Amino acid sequence: MKTDNFDYIELWKQAMADHTGKIPNRLKDDAAEEAFWSSKVAEKKQHKADPYAKHVQQELLALLKQDDHVLEIGPGWGNYTFDIAKEVKKLTCIDSSKSIISFLESQANEKGFENMELIHDKWESDTKRDRYDVVFGFNCYYRMTEIGQTLLKMNDSAARLVIVGMTTGPEKPHYMELKQRGYTINLRKRDYIHILNVLYQLGILADCKIVKLKSKKIYSTYEEMIRDNTTKILDEHFSYDEVKTILNKYVMEKEGVFEYEYPFHAALMYWNPKGN
């Protein structure tokens, strides 16, 4: 059904375009996506979850049962993978990146996990219709054009629960202040609320848990901090002095390094499979 004359699935597709109106290469080119993850994995000698993930894990693991067979879609380098595997009967992971699958396989062997199955494939194109107790995916939807079909497939593949997770804003506060001053900022165009709206359009009313998080970025030089925190400014010409003045409100120098700590959130949307 459509609500208020909006087709949220179509809006999701439109929002895949960047500020120039083009689809970023990683979103449409499998080779470019593989190259990205290959370079990321090369930087990781061992599995180490992002610092914020432990707070999301607490909420996620509370939804799982010991005898569950869980499917994780797009695990990346395993922010949740091994913590899930510790708590459930079996974990199956599917990822489109061969580099990711190889990395997770090596880490699973090193950690001694015997209840994990790793599949190299794209969830949206995988034609198998296996059933799992729980189907879960976090931050894995950015390349999925047919978001409605993706979510329905998750629904149809789950016997007990579907969990969809995304990190969300607000944006770094200095960007929001710059926007208020008239700067053009490349803000995120797709967020968890889009997923909730698509689910509503599909007739699925999901619960939503918002998890409060903090991120701390540490820079060895002031120049590095400036470079990293001006990338979303789209104006061709802008005042670096004004940007520095605003950034200095949020960045602290401690023991020769520069720290930028700011709040953000994660959303966990979950529901009992419709029609199952």
Side-chain angles (χ1 to χ4, degrees), residues 173-233:
H174 78 281
Y175 280 130
M176 300 311 296
E177 187 167 340
L178 287 169
K179 186 175 186 300
Q180 290 174 353
R181 295 192 180 204
Y183 283 70
T184 305
I185 306 299
N186 186 23
L187 302 176
R188 71 175 74 210
K189 299 180 68 176
R190 292 181 294 168
D191 212 332
Y192 82 96
I193 197 66
H194 297 86
I195 296 283
L196 275 179
N197 285 333
V198 170
L199 288 170
Y200 183 74
Q201 182 171 323
L202 296 172
I204 297 173
L205 298 179
D207 290 308
C208 183
K209 174 71 176 182
I210 301 296
V211 184
K212 294 181 179 180
L213 304 169
K214 283 187 177 180
S215 180
K216 181 186 288 186
K217 302 291 186 181
I218 299 177
Y219 305 97
S220 58
T221 66
Y222 188 79
E223 291 71 22
E224 180 189 7
M225 183 275 293
I226 292 295
R227 285 197 304 271
D228 189 54
N229 289 286
T230 53
T231 58
K232 289 194 173 189
I233 300 175

